[in-house]
Amino acid sequence: MGEAKGAVELLLARAYATRDHVALIAFRGDDAELLLPPTRSLVQTKRRLAALPGGGGTPLAHGLQAAADLAHRTRAHGLSPTLTVLTDGRANIALDGTANREKASADALVMGRWIRSLGLPSIVLDLGRRPHPDLSRLASEMSATYLPLPRATAERMSETLGAALDHGLGA
């Protein structure tokens, strides 16, 4: 989690330099939470990121739903969102809040298809120790770029995502 936070901080600095907006949605426990609405404030974003705990359940479908809702709304305000999902695990909390890996995975795929139908460019960065076929399948359902990066450093994650964004991957 520390390396992922470091990577996000590096990406935030890049976004700040290019005057891009950044939003932060955390999905952990049994729900997703908008920690930071779209902003250009690097200081505020770093503060919120530092307070982000890790561990627990992975309500991936909730995170995808919240991200797609936010991206859809920001697009209506003239922004061009790209969803970037950083996760080290498979979905294990379903949309109804139950700890049911099979239902959670199915819910995530439904959200992935919805994201694809909205035409949202997306990247899925798999930070697990080994690439997860479930995350690869989710990326496929989203029409997203899938980037497995086991044991990656913050710098490597940031460089990989930066290059993907620069080359229009996920679009």
Side-chain angles (χ1 to χ4, degrees), residues 89-93 98-106 134:
R90 298 179 311 204
N92 57 18
I93 304 296
T98 60
N100 179 328
R101 196 174 292 276
E102 188 175 306
K103 181 156 178 30
S105 182
D134 289 352

Side-chain angles (χ1 to χ4, degrees), residues 22-97:
V22 174
L24 185 60
I25 296 173
F27 53 98
R28 64 188 186 288
D30 62 2
D31 205 1
E33 176 186 5
L34 176 63
L35 295 180
L36 185 71
T39 183
R40 290 182 172 159
S41 171
L42 185 58
V43 172
Q44 185 181 28
T45 305
K46 281 186 173 187
R47 188 178 315 127
R48 300 277 173 95
L49 185 62
L52 178 63
T58 304
L60 185 55
H62 277 283
L64 294 170
Q65 183 178 47
D69 284 341
L70 180 62
H72 189 63
R73 287 192 314 267
T74 60
R75 188 186 270 170
H77 292 290
L79 298 176
S80 301
T82 297
L83 299 183
T84 304
V85 179
L86 281 76
T87 184
D88 64 353
R90 298 179 311 204
N92 57 18
I93 304 296
L95 281 173
D96 65 7

Side-chain angles (χ1 to χ4, degrees), residues 60-65 68 83 85 95 104-120 122 124 134-135 137-144:
L60 185 55
H62 277 283
L64 294 170
Q65 183 178 47
L83 299 183
V85 179
L95 281 173
S105 182
D107 288 348
L109 294 174
V110 167
M111 291 297 109
R113 287 188 288 276
W114 179 48
I115 288 168
R116 181 183 63 222
S117 77
L118 294 174
L120 294 169
S122 306
V124 175
D134 289 352
L135 291 176
R137 181 169 177 219
L138 172 65
S140 179
E141 290 293 330
M142 294 170 65
S143 292

